Amino acid sequence: MKRIYVEEKWCLGCHLCEYECAFANSGMTDMVKALKGKTIHPKIRVEDGKNVHFAVNCRHCKDAICVNSCIAGALSRSESGVVEIDRNKCVGCFTCVLVCPYGAVMPDGDGHVAQKCELCTKNLCGEPNCVAHCPNRAIVYEERD
Amino acid sequence: MKRYVIIGNSTAAIHAVEGIRSLDKEGTILLVSDETHFTYGRPLISYYLYGKTDEEHMKYRPSDWYEVNGVQTKLGVRAEKIDAKEKTVTLSTGETVGYDKLLVATGSRPFVPPMEGLDRVEQSYSFMTMDDALRIERDFVKTDNVLVIGAGLIGLKCVEGILSRVNSVTAVDMADRILPSILDEEGSRIVQTYLEGLGVKFCLSDSAVKFESNSATMKSGKTLSFDKLVLAVGVRANIELVKEAGGACERGICCNEKQETSLADVYAAGDCAISHDITAGVDRVLALLPNAAFQGRTAGVNMAGGDVSFDQAIPMNAMGLFGLHMMTAGVYEGEVYKEHKDGNYKKLFCQDGVLKGFILIGDVSRAGIYTSLIRNRTPLCEVDFDLLKTRPQLAAFSKTYRRENFTKEV
């Protein structure tokens, strides 16, 4: 399947992907209205290390430990391989946060349920918005082994 | 065509079916459970009472899951006897069914220590199954004063579920602190203070020695009166089927890394089975949902002719109480790194060059990075642990690690 891959040598650490993610998942079509004056809760996060920057989001693991560990059956793997979360089933126990080795599942803005990257399959974008707007192609969306 | 029989209908059983079906689409699967409900997330019963979910959303799998996976179910039926020689299981209906591969995923049951007069208490409840939750929902009323025996994980999740439904809740524990199985003393105090602030009452270092219909006489001499009593002292693994069939058992059913019991073609997984805890280096029951899932999957794949092992069992808990989250894993031994500020509490335990355990209360973000260090027994010399101590982050890992994980399928 197509996945998001991150090349840290190209990452500028601009954090634009975080804003594009928050915008894509806001359900709104005007970025300014969607984000201005608001605290964002993106599903992709840039880490700024000593001399390195890189974005982290869900790896959509083939044998995803979050899916196997979910106490509610709220996390599942779709036929196309996307690790999805059913917000209506999630009870916010955050066992997924406890097990994800990438720290890529997190509480949502309200803190009541978990959220994670679903490759923009459930919003208006259809394809990952962070990839579309990365100014230096540090985040790509493609098929790899 | 193989005949699979699965005793149980919860996490381990479901993952075993999925494991079987990953290799064998043809074999027949018969699933037997004494519970009548569609498979549900068992730990969700507290969230059900708390109002965070409902019966429909508690379904652990989609409604057509049994059909899609070709599973014949016998719900409300008890497996009563295993004949490991004849390879049959006798059911409470009187039927005897044959198997080629059998999974015992019978879970555990509430343990009720002998306490004088307990039979005089009419309004007594346990907190383990959906039916328990439904009984509590039906019976508990606003004017009730509830006494919960046990201030561990089950007892306190029950407290969370019922607090707003009743007049008062008092939790009793023999231990001198709450959640003694997952927290250290300081952590217990933090959570206790938080819960007391919400009105929960505690009676610690004490135990009930005698019951009347609506009161308990405590070891300390105190008398606690109640309208409803919840028993959440602990659980016992349901090992009897395997034990009576001659299979090796300790406090749980003994099994190897392939989930095979000592009986040929009989597997065990979940809360009834013993795991090898790699952090403590001992065999013990790890009654945790993820562990049941990993074991169940392993059993299923092996039952269908695959060859997989599960050798990364660790104790770990994600626990939330009234919005306060805590995460713990491993054992609390070795050198300690501690932070306690802004309402957040963190302790990391390192020994023999690896992370052995942690306790996080409050800020639990990205805890899985710590958990994976424990699970993988990652040598701390391979990561920048000074950086990791302050915050779990992948910048503390090597470039190679990040390349392996971010530029390839994982």
Side-chain angles (χ1 to χ4, degrees):
Chain A
M1 73 176 270
K2 277 171 92 171
R3 283 183 168 79
I4 288 176
Y5 296 101
V6 175
E7 303 287 351
E8 65 184 48
K9 67 178 169 184
W10 301 122
C11 180
L12 307 169
C14 70
H15 294 249
L16 197 56
C17 51
E18 295 176 354
Y19 290 91
E20 291 294 347
C21 175
F23 173 45
N25 292 299
S26 68
M28 295 168 80
T29 50
D30 182 322
M31 191 168 186
V32 176
K33 278 188 188 144
L35 304 183
K36 189 154 172 29
K38 292 186 185 151
T39 306
I40 61 166
H41 300 279
K43 300 167 181 181
I44 187 167
R45 300 285 170 95
V46 174
E47 277 195 35
D48 299 301
K50 280 170 192 151
N51 295 303
V52 66
H53 308 277
F54 53 89
V56 182
N57 62 354
C58 173
R59 308 307 308 138
H60 298 276
C61 304
K62 282 181 283 189
D63 185 18
I65 193 165
C66 61
V67 172
N68 294 330
S69 301
C70 178
I71 70 168
L75 282 155
S76 62
R77 200 173 143 84
S78 76
E79 268 175 35
S80 60
V82 181
V83 174
E84 298 178 324
I85 183 159
D86 180 342
R87 291 175 54 89
N88 294 320
K89 291 189 82 171
C90 178
V91 293
C93 74
F94 302 131
T95 301
C96 46
V97 176
L98 173 69
V99 297
C100 175
Y102 305 109
V105 192
M106 67 281 291
D108 77 349
D110 299 329
H112 295 312
V113 297
Q115 67 168 24
K116 60 180 294 305
C117 167
E118 293 174 292
L119 299 173
C120 286
T121 50
K122 287 187 185 169
N123 59 39
L124 298 169
C125 299
E127 291 238 315
N129 204 40
C130 56
V131 173
H133 291 90
C134 178
N136 210 28
R137 286 187 44 78
I139 316 172
V140 296
Y141 183 55
E142 57 194 34
E143 198 96 37
R144 283 186 196 174
D145 291 330
Chain B
M1 204 161 66
K2 262 189 196 163
R3 294 167 306 162
Y4 302 95
V5 174
I6 293 178
I7 307 173
N9 186 26
S10 198
T11 310
I14 299 308
H15 284 264
V17 168
E18 291 174 349
I20 291 169
R21 287 294 181 234
S22 70
L23 293 180
D24 181 353
K25 306 271 190 253
E26 304 297 322
T28 62
I29 301 179
L30 173 67
L31 182 149
V32 181
S33 168
D34 59 358
E35 282 189 87
T36 52
H37 300 280
F38 188 93
T39 183
Y40 62 94
R42 193 174 294 286
L44 299 195
I45 59 172
S46 68
Y47 297 90
Y48 174 79
L49 292 177
Y50 194 44
K52 258 200 132 171
T53 189
D54 56 38
E55 277 190 89
E56 186 57 30
H57 288 103
M58 284 172 77
K59 286 183 174 171
Y60 189 55
R61 288 293 183 265
S63 301
D64 58 358
W65 185 88
Y66 297 113
E67 289 150 48
V68 168
N69 287 282
V71 178
Q72 189 203 339
T73 57
K74 282 186 187 291
L75 303 183
V77 174
R78 262 187 95 78
E80 306 213 308
K81 185 171 175 263
I82 296 170
D83 186 329
K85 269 206 187 101
E86 295 297 318
K87 297 176 81 168
T88 60
V89 180
T90 306
L91 309 179
S92 55
T93 53
E95 280 172 279
T96 297
V97 294
Y99 63 82
D100 296 308
K101 299 280 177 184
L102 172 68
L103 175 70
V104 178
T106 44
S108 56
R109 62 179 179 277
F111 165 63
V112 182
M115 288 184 281
E116 195 191 330
L118 200 52
D119 52 344
R120 288 196 283 268
V121 181
E122 280 163 31
Q123 307 272 6
S124 166
Y125 299 77
S126 44
F127 196 59
M128 186 87 197
T129 64
M130 189 66 210
D131 286 338
D132 292 335
L134 292 171
R135 272 186 73 211
I136 288 175
E137 182 187 38
R138 187 192 63 199
D139 295 355
F140 284 33
V141 293
K142 263 288 180 207
T143 51
D144 279 339
N145 298 305
V146 182
L147 186 65
V148 178
I149 308 287
L153 290 162
I154 297 175
L156 291 189
K157 282 310 275 188
C158 181
V159 168
E160 183 191 44
I162 63 176
L163 188 65
S164 69
R165 294 174 172 268
V166 299
N167 183 51
S168 78
V169 180
T170 304
V172 174
D173 208 295
M174 257 160 70
D176 59 353
R177 55 201 184 85
I178 66 167
L179 296 170
S181 66
I182 64 161
L183 296 179
D184 63 344
E185 280 177 34
E186 203 174 349
S188 293
R189 261 204 313 278
I190 294 167
V191 179
Q192 184 182 338
T193 305
Y194 178 77
L195 295 177
E196 284 171 340
L198 296 166
V200 182
K201 288 180 250 172
F202 291 100
C203 178
L204 302 173
S205 305
D206 208 352
S207 54
V209 286
K210 192 179 166 194
F211 286 96
E212 298 299 333
S213 62
N214 286 98
S215 70
T217 306
M218 308 299 290
K219 205 173 177 181
S220 61
K222 247 189 276 181
T223 301
L224 298 174
S225 57
F226 56 82
D227 300 299
K228 303 278 167 26
L229 178 71
V230 178
L231 296 167
V233 179
V235 297
R236 282 281 157 90
N238 292 323
I239 62 174
E240 290 75 11
L241 281 174
V242 169
K243 197 174 180 185
E244 284 159 17
C249 293
E250 288 165 20
R251 294 187 79 167
I253 300 165
C254 299
C255 43
N256 62 16
E257 291 175 352
K258 298 182 188 299
Q259 301 307 133
E260 295 164 333
T261 68
S262 65
L263 301 171
D265 299 314
V266 180
Y267 296 72
D271 290 8
C272 64
I274 282 180
S275 297
H276 181 68
D277 172 355
I278 60 167
T279 59
V282 297
D283 291 342
R284 57 167 155 166
V285 176
L286 290 174
L288 315 162
L289 188 139
N291 202 54
F294 305 147
Q295 288 187 335
R297 174 86 192 183
T298 304
V301 169
N302 289 330
M303 288 162 76
D307 182 13
V308 292
S309 295
F310 172 56
D311 55 5
Q312 290 189 319
I314 62 168
M316 57 177 181
N317 275 285
M319 168 86 168
L321 289 168
F322 304 99
L324 176 64
H325 288 276
M326 60 207 91
M327 291 190 186
T328 62
V331 290
Y332 310 146
E333 290 166 8
E335 202 182 314
V336 181
Y337 170 80
K338 184 183 142 184
E339 270 180 34
H340 190 179
K341 59 182 179 198
D342 308 327
N344 299 313
Y345 179 71
K346 174 196 286 198
K347 256 189 187 171
L348 305 177
F349 300 84
C350 300
Q351 198 174 48
D352 305 326
V354 296
L355 185 64
K356 285 294 238 187
F358 66 80
I359 299 170
L360 303 173
I361 302 173
D363 181 7
V364 295
S365 58
R366 305 190 86 188
I369 293 175
Y370 290 148
T371 311
S372 77
L373 287 174
I374 299 176
R375 187 189 305 115
N376 298 322
R377 288 172 273 195
T378 307
L380 294 181
C381 58
E382 290 177 9
V383 295
D384 184 342
F385 193 62
D386 284 331
L387 204 56
L388 270 175
K389 274 178 189 168
T390 56
R391 203 153 35 86
Q393 53 192 306
L394 300 173
F397 289 68
S398 68
K399 263 189 189 313
T400 316
Y401 175 88
R402 290 198 298 271
R403 198 180 321 114
E404 289 296 319
N405 287 279
F406 292 163
T407 67
K408 292 176 186 168
E409 267 191 10
V410 289

